[in-house]
Amino acid sequence: MTYPLGLNLAGRAVLVVGGGPDAARRTRSLLAEGALVDLVAPDLHDTLRDLTSSPGLTWHERAFRPDDLDGARLVFLHVSDPGVRERVALAAEERRVLCVTDDAAPGPDRAAGTQAPVTQEPGTVALVGGGPGDPGLLTVRGRQLLADADVIVADRLGPTDLLPELARHARIIDVGKRAGYHKYTQDRINETLVEQAKLGLRVVRLKGGDPYVFGRGGEEVEFCRAHGVTTQVVPGVTSAISVPAAAGIPVTHRDMTHGFTVITAHQQLRHVPYMDGHTLILMMGVRGLERNAELLMAAGYPADTPVAVVERGWTPTQRTTVAQLDTIARVAREREVTAPAVIVVGRVGALAHESSAIPGPQGLAQEG
């Protein structure tokens, strides 16, 4: 087994052996901590060569020698050659210097059945679904990728509060979109992913909810693959289901509803016919709530159909507003309902209650 430690390396001598992307990632994080880094490698990857002029870094352009460990408090080993790895590890053991190895080769702690997989290769992009916003709903694999990332391209609705703690050494590129404000267009986001990956970096695209549920994840994967960049996708807990759940609303419920439809409210709702015993979940529909309610009633939805609007799901300021379809727009306006919110149309909407899965103030308006 390995034992996790937190070390204060400010002003301490640390040795890094290796010149590839992994060594670059490690060196960047060590310099950010204020460590004094001796880097030993005959040649350097471009991303590491760019760091050689950094204060606190000394590059020794040659192969490892045992006396490189003299005075070092810690050594990080980022080479794939088994012979070099063994020499460094033995020399560190003799000098009682802690040696941290990467995942390039198996060791005694990586026996069959216990080996942890390499989460992401340099020069690739991982699309990570961040869930509805609560850091506790981010998957374990998502956390691993964020912790190892060099660059994180983050959306506004992802669990960005987690990044200072979990991804302390990654560069954060904020590409969050808001109504009427797109700092980065989707085309520019696609290009950014490819540009950063081609620098040999581990790139994580952190998205709210699930990357493939109204997240344009498919477009980003296609663009990366078209430009020769390998991708992986880590599913996330979609807000379409989890936000209603936080308000006590099951999107399916025996003897009440047997299916559900998820649709962006930007689309033509007149093409969504009413079905008894079916739940309709609207995403991004707060601004057009009055018009959407009219369209649904014109499509056959009864005026007294329960509607629940759940704002800011899975946050301490979560709030739920419930009313009939014909009055929900007025009630929401009176309560100053704002995005982000998930709208649930159907019988199960009436099941919303103040008891929820998260702490914090809850509000509930009932009408009809």
Side-chain angles (χ1 to χ4, degrees):
M1 293 180 61
T2 58
Y3 191 85
L5 292 174
L7 300 176
N8 182 358
L9 296 177
R12 309 283 186 176
V14 179
L15 175 66
V16 176
V17 181
D22 286 337
R25 178 175 59 89
R26 183 71 70 184
T27 300
R28 186 183 298 110
S29 66
L30 289 169
L31 292 173
E33 292 294 330
L36 303 177
V37 181
D38 279 307
L39 176 64
V40 176
D43 194 17
L44 300 180
H45 187 274
D46 289 344
T47 55
L48 187 50
R49 190 177 295 276
D50 291 342
L51 297 175
T52 54
S53 60
S54 303
L57 176 63
T58 302
W59 176 30
H60 305 277
E61 192 176 354
R62 53 171 172 75
F64 168 79
R65 299 193 310 232
D67 60 5
D68 289 327
L69 288 161
D70 293 346
R73 297 294 187 93
L74 188 64
V75 56
F76 289 94
L77 182 52
H78 292 291
V79 294
S80 57
D81 186 304
V84 175
R85 292 173 69 88
E86 184 177 3
R87 286 196 298 274
V88 176
L90 287 174
E93 181 69 21
E94 291 173 354
R95 289 165 173 76
R96 296 188 176 183
V97 177
L98 290 175
C99 181
V100 180
T101 61
D102 57 18
D103 295 327
D109 295 329
R110 299 184 181 277
T114 63
Q115 182 170 349
V118 178
T119 56
Q120 185 177 6
E121 295 293 333
T124 65
V125 173
L127 278 69
V128 173
D134 184 339
L137 296 180
L138 178 64
T139 64
V140 172
R141 184 164 182 80
R143 284 177 173 268
Q144 291 173 338
L145 288 165
L146 288 171
D148 288 342
D150 300 309
V151 176
I152 297 173
V153 181
D155 272 350
R156 176 174 66 98
L157 297 180
T160 54
D161 290 346
L162 188 67
L163 296 182
E165 170 192 349
L166 188 60
R168 297 174 60 191
H169 308 303
R171 182 163 65 94
I172 312 300
I173 301 177
D174 178 11
V175 297
K177 299 176 183 178
R178 295 163 180 81
Y181 175 72
H182 289 187
K183 182 178 180 180
Y184 276 67
T185 64
Q186 186 60 50
D187 287 344
R188 184 62 191 127
I189 292 172
N190 296 345
E191 293 166 356
T192 298
L193 297 176
V194 169
E195 290 169 359
Q196 296 299 312
K198 286 188 175 294
L199 292 175
L201 303 175
R202 293 181 173 91
V203 183
V204 170
R205 175 73 169 105
L206 180 61
K207 309 172 79 67
D210 182 275
Y212 282 175
V213 179
F214 300 122
R216 293 195 168 181
E219 299 174 35
E220 293 170 359
V221 167
E222 288 178 356
F223 189 88
C224 287
R225 289 177 177 171
H227 290 79
V229 174
T230 301
T231 62
Q232 62 172 295
V233 177
V234 179
V237 179
T238 175
S239 58
I241 298 173
S242 62
V243 168
I249 303 172
V251 296
T252 63
H253 193 57
R254 189 172 64 167
D255 299 329
M256 183 175 288
T257 179
H258 306 290
F260 63 92
T261 297
V262 181
I263 188 171
T264 171
H266 297 163
Q267 300 182 24
Q268 294 297 317
L269 296 184
R270 64 172 58 93
H271 299 304
V272 184
Y274 172 72
M275 291 183 287
D276 188 33
H278 196 85
T279 302
L280 179 62
I281 302 168
L282 304 181
M283 312 293 290
M284 299 170 281
V286 172
R287 294 180 66 185
L289 187 54
E290 183 171 5
R291 176 60 175 162
N292 292 335
E294 293 173 352
L295 287 172
L296 289 174
M297 286 186 286
Y301 282 75
D304 62 354
T305 301
V307 179
V309 183
V310 186
E311 301 170 80
R312 301 176 297 278
W314 292 98
T315 73
T317 59
Q318 176 180 311
R319 185 175 66 159
T320 304
T321 298
V322 179
Q324 294 183 171
L325 184 59
D326 60 350
T327 58
I328 186 61
R330 174 178 60 79
V331 174
R333 190 165 50 247
E334 291 172 351
R335 302 198 76 208
E336 299 182 345
V337 170
T338 59
V342 174
I343 302 169
V344 180
V345 182
R347 295 179 186 175
V348 292
L351 299 178
H353 52 75
E354 295 196 30
S355 175
S356 69
I358 60 170
Q362 305 291 322
L364 182 66
Q366 297 275 358
E367 177 165 337

